[in-house]
Amino acid sequence: MYICLMINQELLKPNSIVVIGGSNNVHKPGGAIVRNIISGGYNGTLRIVNPKEDEVQGIKVFHDASELPPTELAILVIPAKMCPDTVDLLAAEKGVRAFIIISAGFGEETKEGAAFEQRILDTCNRYGASLIGPNCIGLLTRHHHSVFTKPIPNLHPKGVDFISGSGATAVFILESAVIKGLQFNSVWSIGNGKLIGIEDVLQYMDEHFNPETDSRVKLLYIENISNPDKLLFHAASLIRKGCRIAAIKAGSSESGSRAASSHTGAIASSDSAVEALFRKAGIVRCFSREELTTVGCIFHSLESKVDSTEFAAASRGNIGAAANSALNALHSTLRVAIVTHAGGPGVMLTDALSKGGLQVPKLEGPIADELKSKLFPGSSVANPIDILATGTPEHLGLAIDYCEQRFDNIDAIMVIFGTPGLVTLYEAYDMLHKKILSCRKPIFPILPSLHTAGPEVDEFLKKGHVNFSDEVTLATALTQVIQTPPPAPPEIELFGVDVPRIRDVISSVRENGYVSPNVVRELFNCAGIPMVPEMVSTSKEELTAFAEKVGYPVVAKVVGPIHKSDVGGVALNIRTAEHLALEFDRMMQIADATGVMVQKMISGTEVFIGAKYEERFGHVVLCGLGGIFVEVLKDVSSGLAPLSYNEAFSMIRSLRSYKIIKGTRGQRGINEQKYAEIIVRLSTLLRFAREIKEMDINPLLADENNVIAVDARIRIEKD
C-alpha cells in the first residue's frame, strides 16, 4: 500500500489563499485566476501580492510577500526565476503548506528551469507542503476555482473528477464536456507533476474514498505514466469500490528502441504496454477528447441507475454482492431499444451498435402490435421504434414506457429527438426529462439539433442531464465501455507451474541472447505448456531414428539463424528417411547453422503468443493469429503479466480475427479454453523470469481439442 502525504487540506479546502502576481488584467493569468476565485464564491480569505497595484478587483493588495499574514494556499503567477525564493519565504515564514504554481519556464524548457523546479520541490518536501505544477492551469474544486482558464463547468458533488497532464488539453476536454452537459466535481491540472502526478491524485482519491459522498467517475488525460504499478493499484482499487475510470494516453505510438529480432519485438510498443495496463486495471481506453467526454456521459447515465448502497457494500469488500453484479452487468451484451422520430439516424445507430457487438433486438408480437396501435399510422415498432416526425411528446413517453415496462428483452433505451419535428421541443424534452428520472433502465438522450434547437437543449441540460448529439459516437464509446473487462484479481495463477524449477533453468543459462531449443522446452515443461515432439541434433542418424519413432510426416528446421524461413531453413511434410537426409545436408550448409530440429508434423489453425519486457511495466504478453499474419495483419491484443483467465479471454475475444478463432462459415474453431490457459501459464512463467526479455511462440497449432506450441524462441538478458 502506498502512503499519500502529498495532498493536504490546505490544498483542497484552504481557509486562506494568496495569489502572488494577481492583477486587474483579466486577460492575463494573474487577473483571470483572481476573477475565477471571486466569481466561484470562495468563502475564505483571499489575498493578493502585486508590487505595482494598490487594489486588485476590489481587494486590497500587499506589495511584497513578506508583508503577508499566515496563509494556507499560495498561487504563484510570477516569472519562474522568482518562484524558488518566494516559495522558501512563504513556507518558512508564512506557514504556507500548499502551492499551485501556474508559471512556466521550469524543467520543461531549460536546465536552469529544472534547477528552479528542484529547489521548489526540496522546499515543499522540507515543510511537508503540497505542490500542484509548475506549468499548469491550476486546480478547480467546489471550494475554490483556482484556475485561470475558461470554461468553468457546472460543479456537483457527484460530477466527474478530471485529472490532466496537460493544461491546454484539459481546457479543450472541458469545452467538449460542457457542451454535452457533463458536470464536474474537480479538475486537476498537474503540469510538470514533480511532486503530485496523476498516480498520486488517484492514490489520494482511493485512500480517502467515501462511497456515500464522493464522485464515482474519473476521467484521465495522461501524457506520461511515471509509475505504472501505482496507477494500476489505485485505479483497480477505485473500480472495485464502484468507481468508473476512462483515460486517454497520448504519445503511445513511438515504438522506441528495439532490435525487432522477433515478431514480438517488431509488433510490441509502448502502446501495447498501455493497452495491457488499462485492461488489467479495468480502465476504459479512449483515443480522442470527444470519445473521453462521451464515455464520461455514459458513466453519468449509468451511474444514476445504480444504488449507492450497493457501492457502499462493495467498498467494504463485499465483491460478490449486488454492487459487483451491477458493475459486471456492463460487460455482458447490452440489448438496446432505439426510439426516434427520424429513420436515418436510427438506422445508423443500429449499424454502429451491431458493429460493436451490441444487440438491437427485434420487437414483435402482441405487445409490439399494441404499441403500434397507439402511435400514428405509418409508425414502426420493430426497433428502431420510429414515431414519425409528427409524433407527439405523449407518443415519445409511451414508447419509452413500453421499453421500460413491457419489453423484457431491452436493457437500455436510446432516444433520438431533434428537428425537423412537428412538435414543441420544450415539451418533448420535458417528457424525456421525466422519463429519465422515473425509469429504472438507463436512457441515453441523443439531441442532435444544437444549432436550431440550442435553447431547448440548454434547458434540458440545466436539469442535470447529458446530451450525446451524435449517435455513432455514442455507439462507439459504449462499445468501449462494454468491452472493457473488470479489474483483474491480484492473485497469480500458480496451479501447475513449477516456479523453483523455472528459477533453476534460468540460473543455468550462462550467456545472454536466444537460448537453445532444449532450454525453451525445459521452461515450457515447467509451465505446463505443451510442445510438439521434437529433437535437435547434429547427427543425421539420430534425427532419422527420431522421425521413425514419432512417425512421418515430419518437419525439419535449421537451428541457429533467427529467421528460419528467410534463409530457407524450414522443410514441411517430409515423408521418408531419404528426404529427411537431403534436407539435413542442405540445412547444415546454411550460414550460422548449429544443428537441425525435427518435429512431428501436425495441423491446425496457426495462433501466436509473444511477450516483451517493457521497462517500468513488466512483461507485455501478446496474442493473435499466427504464422505470417502476425506481422502482416498486426491483429494482436496485449495483457500485462501475470494474467488472469478473464484477462486472457478478454485478449482473445478483442481480436478482429476472433471469428476465425471461434469458428466461422462451417469451419470449426479452436479450443479457446486451452489457448487462454497457455496464455495464463506463460504469463506466470514470465512473472518469475524477468530475465526473459523477448519470447515468441509462433505458431501454436490449434484445433477444437488441443493447442500445441510448434516453434518458440526465448531471449534472456541478465544484468
Side-chain angles (χ1 to χ4, degrees):
M1 172 69 75
Y2 302 95
I3 305 299
C4 187
L5 302 174
M6 295 172 285
I7 297 174
N8 55 28
Q9 289 303 298
E10 289 87 348
L11 178 66
L12 298 175
K13 297 179 181 179
N15 293 311
S16 53
I17 299 176
V18 59
V19 180
I20 310 294
S23 73
N24 285 305
N25 188 346
V26 297
H27 299 292
K28 291 186 177 181
I33 207 162
V34 172
R35 174 202 62 200
N36 287 344
I37 293 172
I38 294 172
S39 62
Y42 174 63
N43 58 15
T45 302
L46 179 60
R47 302 179 176 118
I48 313 292
V49 172
N50 187 318
K52 299 178 180 179
E53 301 278 0
D54 294 323
E55 185 177 286
V56 166
Q57 300 184 45
I59 298 174
K60 186 178 178 180
V61 168
F62 295 89
H63 290 153
D64 191 274
S66 62
E67 302 171 1
L68 286 167
T71 306
E72 293 188 359
L73 168 65
I75 304 169
L76 276 60
V77 199
I78 54 177
K81 63 182 180 181
M82 298 173 62
C83 288
D85 288 340
T86 304
V87 170
D88 284 343
L89 170 69
L90 294 172
E93 300 181 18
K94 306 302 175 182
V96 174
R97 291 297 177 265
F99 294 91
I100 299 174
I101 301 181
I102 304 297
S103 318
F106 291 90
E108 78 280 1
E109 290 189 8
T110 64
K111 290 184 178 179
E112 182 184 27
F116 295 153
E117 196 166 2
Q118 187 60 49
R119 276 190 57 195
I120 293 168
L121 186 62
D122 292 342
T123 300
C124 289
N125 285 329
R126 186 162 60 250
Y127 289 96
S130 290
L131 171 65
I132 296 290
N135 185 31
C136 68
I137 64 170
L139 174 64
L140 175 65
T141 73
R142 290 180 291 112
H143 301 281
H144 61 103
H145 297 185
S146 296
V147 294
F148 69 88
T149 55
K150 288 185 175 182
I152 303 293
N154 290 331
L155 297 171
H156 189 276
K158 294 297 184 179
V160 171
D161 288 317
F162 173 41
I163 315 165
S164 177
S166 164
T169 306
V171 172
F172 300 151
I173 290 171
L174 288 173
E175 293 272 10
S176 172
V178 165
I179 201 170
K180 295 179 176 68
L182 189 60
Q183 297 179 331
F184 287 77
N185 177 57
S186 66
V187 177
W188 298 69
S189 165
I190 64 161
N192 293 357
K194 284 294 185 179
L195 186 62
I196 298 175
I198 289 176
E199 299 94 332
D200 303 306
V201 179
L202 280 180
Q203 177 184 348
Y204 182 87
M205 291 177 176
D206 179 24
E207 293 173 354
H208 295 81
F209 182 70
N210 183 335
E212 301 297 332
T213 59
D214 290 357
S215 167
R216 292 195 292 264
V217 177
K218 322 292 180 187
L219 301 182
L220 315 176
Y221 173 79
I222 306 171
E223 291 189 337
N224 177 52
I225 301 176
S226 59
N227 192 329
D229 286 342
K230 193 172 182 179
L231 177 65
L232 170 61
F233 181 91
H234 291 293
S237 176
L238 280 165
I239 294 170
R240 290 191 187 100
K241 291 173 181 176
C243 293
R244 313 176 199 275
I245 302 178
I248 295 173
K249 170 60 178 77
S252 298
S253 59
E254 287 295 324
S255 60
S257 58
R258 47 176 50 90
S261 59
S262 68
H263 296 296
T264 304
I267 297 169
S269 66
S270 58
D271 189 66
S272 302
V274 171
E275 185 78 26
L277 177 65
F278 284 13
R279 185 191 304 277
K280 184 174 284 291
I283 297 171
V284 177
R285 189 173 189 190
C286 302
F287 296 90
S288 70
R289 300 190 303 272
E290 280 298 301
E291 190 174 358
L292 183 68
T293 55
T294 301
V295 169
C297 290
I298 290 171
F299 286 162
H300 171 88
S301 299
L302 295 170
E303 190 67 27
S304 63
K305 303 304 173 187
V306 182
D307 184 69
S308 63
T309 58
E310 293 178 343
F311 287 113
S315 70
R316 292 191 293 268
N318 189 11
I319 304 294
N324 200 43
S325 63
L327 290 172
N328 288 339
L330 293 176
H331 307 296
S332 60
T333 300
L334 201 68
R335 299 168 299 179
V336 179
I338 301 168
V339 180
T340 180
H341 68 160
V347 173
M348 288 190 287
L349 179 55
T350 301
D351 290 343
L353 291 170
S354 299
K355 182 179 179 181
L358 283 74
Q359 294 183 12
V360 184
K362 186 175 182 181
L363 302 176
E364 54 187 348
I367 296 175
D369 294 339
E370 181 183 309
L371 171 60
K372 186 170 184 178
S373 70
K374 296 180 180 181
L375 301 175
F376 284 144
S379 298
S380 171
V381 298
N383 200 14
I385 300 171
D386 187 351
I387 65 173
L388 306 179
T390 52
T392 66
E394 289 71 26
H395 290 147
L396 173 62
L398 188 67
I400 293 173
D401 285 343
Y402 268 74
C403 294
E404 164 74 6
Q405 301 166 11
R406 306 291 302 278
F407 294 126
D408 295 333
N409 59 340
I410 296 300
D411 303 309
I413 307 160
M414 296 184 176
V415 177
I416 306 173
F417 212 102
T419 55
L422 303 180
V423 298
T424 304
L425 284 182
Y426 281 114
E427 295 176 2
Y429 292 171
D430 187 57
M431 174 64 74
L432 184 55
H433 159 69
K434 292 174 181 176
K435 295 303 178 184
I436 289 174
L437 294 182
S438 64
C439 284
R440 175 179 48 87
K441 297 173 183 177
I443 297 175
F444 300 93
I446 303 165
L447 315 180
S449 304
L450 301 181
H451 178 68
T452 56
E456 293 92 332
V457 173
D458 287 343
E459 182 69 23
F460 177 79
L461 298 182
K462 287 176 181 176
K463 296 176 181 177
H465 303 303
V466 294
N467 174 32
F468 294 94
S469 79
D470 182 81
E471 60 278 353
V472 175
T473 302
L474 167 60
T476 303
L478 185 58
T479 298
Q480 283 291 91
V481 172
I482 298 298
Q483 291 181 350
T484 300
E491 297 81 17
I492 300 175
E493 298 282 353
L494 289 172
F495 182 74
V497 178
D498 189 343
V499 175
R501 180 60 185 150
I502 288 171
R503 292 310 310 160
D504 288 343
V505 174
I506 294 293
S507 298
S508 70
V509 176
R510 301 302 178 194
E511 295 182 0
N512 289 341
Y514 282 97
V515 300
S516 70
N518 289 336
V519 173
V520 173
R521 182 170 286 273
E522 281 191 74
L523 287 171
F524 282 11
N525 285 337
C526 295
I529 297 173
M531 290 196 73
V532 66
E534 68 180 28
M535 172 179 276
V536 177
S537 179
T538 56
S539 166
K540 187 188 309 182
E541 291 73 20
E542 284 184 353
L543 293 175
T544 302
F546 174 78
E548 296 286 349
K549 179 182 176 181
V550 298
Y552 291 100
V554 296
V555 177
K557 301 177 182 178
V558 68
V559 177
I562 293 174
H563 295 294
K564 302 176 180 64
S565 298
D566 294 349
V567 295
V570 178
L572 305 176
N573 202 27
I574 298 172
R575 295 182 175 273
T576 65
E578 291 77 15
H579 186 183
L580 177 58
L582 288 171
E583 293 295 348
F584 176 87
D585 292 338
R586 181 182 67 81
M587 289 183 186
M588 290 301 293
Q589 300 302 313
I590 295 174
D592 300 322
T594 60
V596 173
M597 174 192 293
V598 171
Q599 295 176 322
K600 173 67 178 175
M601 186 169 177
I602 59 175
S603 61
T605 300
E606 292 188 345
V607 293
F608 157 81
I609 305 175
K612 189 172 192 306
Y613 186 81
E614 288 281 343
E615 289 299 327
R616 297 182 294 118
F617 287 85
H619 283 103
V620 178
V621 180
L622 307 176
C623 74
L625 282 182
I628 63 171
F629 296 106
V630 176
E631 288 190 26
V632 173
L633 297 181
K634 291 184 171 60
D635 176 25
V636 296
S637 59
S638 57
L640 204 58
L643 293 164
S644 66
Y645 278 92
N646 281 343
E647 286 179 280
F649 282 119
S650 172
M651 290 167 62
I652 295 168
R653 292 167 186 173
S654 67
L655 293 165
R656 295 192 302 275
S657 55
Y658 176 60
K659 288 183 179 179
I660 297 174
I661 290 172
K662 189 177 180 181
T664 184
R665 295 198 174 186
Q667 292 186 343
R668 292 182 179 180
I670 74 168
N671 191 315
E672 193 176 331
Q673 176 69 38
K674 289 193 175 182
Y675 189 26
E677 181 179 336
I678 293 175
I679 293 171
V680 171
R681 287 177 176 272
L682 174 67
S683 77
T684 304
L685 161 65
L686 294 167
R687 171 63 180 81
F688 295 99
R690 292 200 169 228
E691 297 90 342
I692 295 176
K693 302 305 180 187
E694 244 176 272
M695 174 187 287
D696 271 339
I697 312 179
N698 186 34
L700 297 99
L701 287 176
D703 58 24
E704 65 270 25
N705 298 313
N706 295 301
V707 181
I708 299 176
V710 174
D711 197 3
R713 287 177 297 167
I714 294 175
R715 181 170 66 84
I716 289 178
E717 298 288 340
K718 296 185 178 182
D719 294 335

